[in-house]
């Protein structure tokens, strides 16, 4: 086994595993759950992602490069950002113990610019930990990632199709720079060292992004601007109906500061508008629940 990828049955991890296989690498995923019916399963090895040192060392034995996508979107029940930081450090220490030569860690754009937001602060903490660790590593900082099986864009499309009104929090003039998951994977696999932004070729306002999605899926929702607090209230009511946390206050704050953009030359080449055109009826056809996918009873744990 030459490469380990956390979360290859999920979103970014799957694209990284695909890219590694395309490049002729052998891949093991570290995941909480197996996915026997997933077509990728036949092509990769699976080991448990359980944050105990002995289990992690066993899962990482023989690996040269670890690609880490593990993170949590929000705190819930026993899941916290502090816990995710501690878990990731356990993972990195186990990698060092068993002689993994390099870690490619997926962070987030502007990870060092929002220490007041726990998602970003945790990412920043891990970047600093890696920098001081002496382990060979590269840090990849994606902006807003789109592609098959993403949650955010799909659910925006779902809302634009199903609801009569879509409330843009604030004026919607803050910026996003969407990057395709395939581009993120290619950038991660090519990265050798240092901090590398993974951003797409186009920067647009959040309002423009929402309008583009609405047009692509022939959404019936009228898009209007409104106070962020009202947006959060509406999302919380809708969230209760679909059994999910649709968006958090911190995520809206991060968006409103245009944190999902970069100042560097874009490395991604796939255009969001082109990808949208290819989606036809699939995008937003059903709601994808973050809670069910990542926090709920649907996660059937592999034994460590
Ligand atoms: N999606 C974006 O737009 C975006 C933007 C910037 C940065 N990023 C970063 O890119 C990385 C991958 O993101 P993604 O959107 O592709 O995420 P994802 O696939 O939903 O999650 C990544 C992995 O983390 C694990 N995980 C997720 N939620 C968890 C929870 N509540 N408890 C325990 N484990 C959990 C999952 O492990 P299992 O395999 O065991 O299920 C999953 O494979 C993350 O580090 C994220 O911060 C994403």
């Amino acid at each position: 086994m030459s490469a380990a990828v956390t979360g290859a049955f999920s979103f970014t991890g799957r694209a990284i595993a695909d890219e590694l296989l395309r490049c002729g690498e052998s891949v093991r995923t570290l995941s909480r759950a197996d996915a026997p019916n997933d077509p990728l399963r036949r092509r990769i090895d699976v080991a448990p992602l359980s944050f105990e040192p002995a289990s992690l060392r066993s899962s990482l034995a023989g690996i040269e490069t670890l690609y880490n996508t593990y993170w949590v979107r929000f705190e819930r029940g026993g899941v916290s950002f502090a816990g995710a930081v501690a878990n990731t450090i356990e993972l990195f220490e186990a990698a060092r113990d068993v002689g993994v030569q390099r870690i490619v860690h997926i962070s987030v754009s502007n990870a060092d610019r929002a220490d007041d937001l726990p998602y970003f602060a945790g990412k920043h903490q891990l970047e600093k930990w890696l920098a001081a660790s002496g382990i060979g590593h590269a840090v990849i900082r994606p902006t807003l990632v789109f592609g098959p099986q993403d949650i955010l864009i799909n659910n925006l499309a779902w809302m634009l199709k199903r609801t009569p009104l879509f409330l843009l929090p604030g004026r919607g003039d803050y910026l996003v720079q969407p990057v395709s998951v395939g581009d993120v994977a290619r950038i991660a696999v090519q990265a050798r060292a240092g901090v590398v932004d993974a951003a797409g070729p186009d920067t647009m306002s959040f309002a423009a992004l929402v309008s583009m999605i609405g047009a692509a899926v022939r959404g019936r929702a009228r898009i209007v601007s409104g106070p962020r607090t009202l947006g959060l209230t509406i999302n919380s009511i809708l969230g209760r109906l679909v059994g999910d946390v649709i968006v958090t206050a911190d995520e809206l704050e991060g968006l409103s500061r245009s944190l999902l953009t970069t100042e560097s030359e874009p490395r991604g080449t796939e255009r969001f508008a082109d990808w949208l055109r290819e989606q036809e009826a699939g995008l937003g056809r059903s709601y994808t629940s973050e809670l069910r996918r990542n926090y709920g009873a649907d996660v059937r744990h592999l034994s460590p």
Side-chain angles (χ1 to χ4, degrees):
M1 280 298 147
S2 53
V5 182
T6 57
F9 301 128
S10 197
F11 180 43
T12 309
R14 174 184 299 277
I16 294 174
D18 280 341
E19 179 67 12
L20 286 164
L21 290 169
R22 205 182 58 77
C23 295
E25 304 268 351
S26 52
V27 176
R28 176 185 303 155
T29 188
L30 271 57
S31 179
R32 287 172 294 173
D34 201 350
N37 299 325
D38 192 311
L40 184 63
R41 178 64 184 87
R42 286 179 281 111
R43 307 180 64 206
I44 65 174
D45 187 23
V46 180
L49 180 62
S50 166
F51 296 100
E52 296 150 20
S55 167
L56 287 171
R57 282 198 292 267
S58 154
S59 291
L60 289 167
I63 294 297
E64 283 168 25
T65 307
L66 165 65
Y67 294 83
N68 177 44
T69 72
Y70 162 74
W71 193 240
V72 300
R73 231 188 85 199
F74 45 76
E75 302 195 320
R76 179 94 174 184
V79 175
S80 68
F81 288 111
V85 169
N87 287 342
T88 309
I89 292 173
E90 287 283 4
L91 174 71
F92 292 166
E93 284 178 336
R96 176 166 58 192
D97 291 349
V98 297
V100 169
Q101 288 158 28
R102 214 161 53 87
I103 293 175
V104 178
H105 173 61
I106 309 300
S107 185
V108 67
S109 51
N110 297 300
D112 52 350
R113 292 197 182 172
D115 278 347
D116 58 323
L117 302 178
Y119 181 107
F120 285 82
K123 292 285 193 183
H124 189 198
Q125 212 179 323
L126 288 171
E127 289 192 6
K128 286 190 286 188
W129 191 95
L130 271 176
S133 69
I135 307 172
H137 69 276
V139 167
I140 311 301
R141 288 179 168 178
T143 50
L144 172 62
V145 187
F146 64 87
Q149 296 182 31
D150 98 292
I151 290 188
L152 183 77
I153 304 291
N154 178 73
N155 289 349
L156 284 174
W158 182 86
M159 284 189 270
L160 288 159
K161 272 174 143 168
R162 300 298 162 98
T163 60
L165 197 75
F166 183 95
L167 191 114
L168 275 175
R171 293 215 306 269
D173 55 353
Y174 31 91
L175 302 177
V176 288
Q177 193 177 355
V179 62
S180 81
V181 74
D183 277 336
V184 176
R186 179 181 49 76
I187 292 163
V189 169
Q190 288 172 358
R192 286 293 153 260
V195 177
V196 183
D197 284 332
D202 302 307
T203 301
M204 61 200 74
S205 68
F206 185 68
L209 177 107
V210 170
S211 298
M212 285 166 76
I213 299 170
V217 300
R218 298 194 180 88
R220 64 191 180 101
R222 212 174 123 228
I223 302 168
V224 294
S225 301
R228 200 193 301 174
T229 45
L230 182 59
L232 279 169
T233 308
I234 293 172
N235 274 307
S236 151
I237 295 165
L238 199 53
R240 249 172 263 149
L241 292 174
V242 293
D244 195 18
V245 175
I246 295 179
V247 69
T248 68
D250 280 357
E251 286 174 329
L252 287 188
E253 178 58 28
L255 270 177
S256 75
R257 292 188 208 167
S258 302
L259 289 173
L260 299 182
T261 60
T262 63
E263 283 158 14
S264 54
E265 195 59 30
R267 285 184 166 78
T269 55
E270 194 178 349
R271 306 192 68 167
F272 182 61
D274 293 343
W275 178 79
L276 269 183
R277 260 194 299 278
E278 289 159 13
Q279 297 318 299
E280 296 171 356
L283 191 67
R285 190 162 45 197
S286 56
Y287 185 87
T288 307
S289 167
E290 176 79 39
L291 278 184
R292 269 197 295 281
R293 188 191 279 185
N294 279 322
Y295 293 73
D298 286 3
V299 181
R300 285 197 297 279
H301 291 260
L302 279 164
S303 41

